[in-house]
Amino acid sequence: MQTALTARDLLDRLVGFPTVSRDTNLPLMDFVEDYLDGYGVKAHRVYNADGDKCNLYAHVGPEVEGGVVLSGHTDVVPIDGQDWDTDPFTVVEKDGKLFGRGTTDMKGFDALALAAVPLALERGIKRPLQLALSYDEEVGCIGAPFMIDEMKTTLPRASAVIVGEPTGMQTVTGHKGTTGLDVTVHGFEVHSSLLHTGVSAIMVAAQLVEWCRQQTAANMAREPDPVAAIFEPPFTSLHVGVMNGGTAHNITAKTCRFTVDIREVPTESPAEWVEAFTQQARRIEAEARKIRPEARIDITQYSASPGLRPEDDPIAEPLIRQLTGDNGTHVVSYGTEAGQFQERGYSTAICGPGDIAMAHQPNEYITVDQFQKGEAFMHRLIDHLVES
């Protein structure tokens, strides 16, 4: 048995791996696998297509159903262009705060989950603890679905999933879905004085951008259903945040690329919104091709994370409420892998230490108080699994 690392020790180690989403997370996963192996816990990896990133999951305790999954992501957002007062990849404690990239989002929770492993083994839990650590959450919850699908077939079925995104240790039972589309419009260049003989990719793209605006306005005007009403804002929004195209003021643009960010309320289907956007694109494309047959619109879906909705017969929610004492109603507008667990049949809720307002910021931090509250939560969870 290896020398035990405290939760704080583990936080220091995890933050020390610069697992920005554009880079590999394998060195961090090597550390986690070695750590678990030191306690006789076997880790399983699920790689991405390129083999430079992986998910990792593990089962701790008896081989029975009814356990609890602790789910977190290992990637962090870049520090490019941010003015940090300390080394982002070294935890620095000052004034009751632990500074470092990922301390809040969400290596703080990951460290607490790993620190719970030796405690679970020492206490002799009667129901298992399962760990699920994913890659590329920050770019669209890309990695987790492959891991969840494998966990369903290889591990005893857990009864509850706790996703540890920062909620201030409150019980969050809902979030919106997120869908990302990368759209490239291909036009035909002519001098702008003869624009009727060419196709401006920018002006074609503008029609789709306007369609997004109209859809958002229509959604805003409708009376929200009971689930949507608990969100802020209480409707699905379509947003274009990046747009690039054209070469000169007097040439119809040959290409234009833009992205669409769709934030769906959990009662609406992401696939149906993608289909509606695609159908509109095809109508606009057909009109452009009447002028130049070369015109086309390419659509690539680069992210798709379903929403999390309050459950009719929850297991995860009352468990978290029992462990935290929080009885409030809380939902968030950011996306997580919670909806991916839920759509695969797991009872899921979100609870983790830290403030989401600190996520992605320069000088990101988690307070020592929140980290300690997270540690106390893990101890109560182990008590629950022992007493079950």
Side-chain angles (χ1 to χ4, degrees):
M1 190 72 72
Q2 64 183 336
T3 301
L5 296 174
T6 66
R8 172 58 196 279
D9 293 334
L10 288 162
L11 178 63
D12 290 348
R13 297 294 297 274
L14 295 180
V15 170
F17 293 100
T19 51
V20 175
S21 301
R22 65 188 174 219
D23 301 322
T24 183
N25 71 341
L26 296 185
L28 182 149
M29 291 306 203
D30 291 341
F31 165 74
V32 172
E33 187 167 7
D34 288 344
Y35 170 82
L36 294 174
D37 185 64
Y39 292 104
V41 174
K42 180 175 176 53
H44 306 266
R45 297 192 184 202
V46 183
Y47 285 89
N48 67 349
D50 295 332
D52 61 349
K53 299 177 184 178
C54 75
N55 303 297
L56 184 148
Y57 66 91
H59 180 97
V60 182
E63 293 290 324
V64 297
E65 296 187 346
V68 175
V69 178
L70 299 177
S71 177
H73 62 81
T74 60
D75 58 319
V76 297
V77 297
I79 60 170
D80 303 26
Q82 294 188 338
D83 186 16
W84 282 72
D85 296 331
T86 62
D87 179 355
F89 299 109
T90 300
V91 178
V92 175
E93 182 173 352
K94 182 180 179 181
D95 299 329
K97 301 171 183 177
L98 301 171
F99 292 89
R101 174 57 88 221
T103 49
T104 287
D105 188 18
M106 58 179 295
K107 291 180 177 179
F109 179 84
D110 294 345
L112 294 168
L114 290 171
V117 170
L119 180 62
L121 294 171
E122 177 186 339
R123 295 288 308 282
I125 53 177
K126 294 183 175 64
R127 285 196 290 135
L129 185 70
Q130 295 176 355
L131 304 181
L133 302 178
S134 63
Y135 68 86
D136 279 2
E137 188 273 348
E138 295 289 6
V139 291
C141 297
I142 292 173
F146 307 108
M147 172 176 59
I148 301 168
D149 289 339
E150 189 168 308
M151 290 174 68
K152 284 179 60 178
T153 61
T154 61
L155 297 184
R157 181 73 170 197
S159 62
V161 176
I162 301 172
V163 176
E165 290 281 356
T167 69
M169 299 309 300
Q170 293 180 326
T171 309
V172 169
T173 57
H175 68 65
K176 289 186 176 182
T178 60
T179 301
L181 302 177
D182 193 342
V183 184
T184 302
V185 180
H186 300 269
F188 188 84
E189 287 182 314
V190 298
H191 194 280
S192 61
S193 64
L194 300 171
L195 63 85
H196 66 291
T197 64
V199 173
S200 167
I202 290 176
M203 297 183 73
V204 170
Q207 295 178 68
L208 278 169
V209 174
E210 172 60 11
W211 182 85
C212 290
R213 188 199 67 78
Q214 292 175 354
Q215 297 305 304
T216 299
N219 293 342
M220 188 185 307
R222 281 196 295 270
E223 184 73 22
D225 63 48
V227 173
I230 63 179
F231 287 90
E232 177 58 37
F235 54 84
T236 293
S237 60
L238 292 83
H239 171 254
V240 175
V242 176
M243 191 174 191
N244 295 287
T247 55
H249 75 279
N250 59 353
I251 303 175
T252 57
K254 183 176 182 180
T255 60
C256 181
R257 179 186 175 190
F258 64 97
T259 60
V260 181
D261 176 68
I262 307 174
R263 301 279 172 161
E264 312 95 358
V265 295
T267 48
E268 296 183 6
S269 166
E272 290 180 4
W273 274 110
V274 172
E275 178 61 22
F277 180 88
T278 302
Q279 289 182 4
Q280 181 66 13
R282 295 298 163 243
R283 286 190 287 269
I284 294 172
E285 179 184 68
E287 291 300 312
R289 283 182 170 176
K290 291 178 182 178
I291 302 170
R292 294 300 312 190
E294 300 92 338
R296 73 176 194 276
I297 301 173
D298 296 335
I299 303 170
T300 301
Q301 184 172 331
Y302 63 84
S303 70
S305 177
L308 174 73
R309 59 184 302 169
E311 298 170 353
D312 295 330
D313 188 21
I315 299 174
E317 177 188 346
L319 170 61
I320 295 173
R321 294 193 185 285
Q322 175 188 339
L323 298 177
T324 62
D326 172 40
N327 292 312
T329 299
H330 310 288
V331 298
V332 294
S333 290
Y334 59 80
T336 79
E337 68 269 26
Q340 295 169 331
F341 275 100
Q342 188 180 66
E343 74 173 0
R344 288 163 173 79
Y346 288 93
S347 177
T348 308
I350 309 169
C351 182
D355 181 353
I356 192 62
M358 294 299 103
H360 304 186
Q361 299 299 309
N363 297 318
E364 177 184 349
Y365 68 82
I366 187 172
T367 65
V368 172
D369 177 67
Q370 275 287 300
F371 194 66
Q372 290 174 342
K373 286 180 177 177
E375 192 167 17
F377 174 89
M378 290 299 176
H379 281 257
R380 289 192 291 270
L381 174 61
I382 298 304
D383 289 341
H384 171 78
L385 295 175
V386 168
E387 295 163 3
S388 299

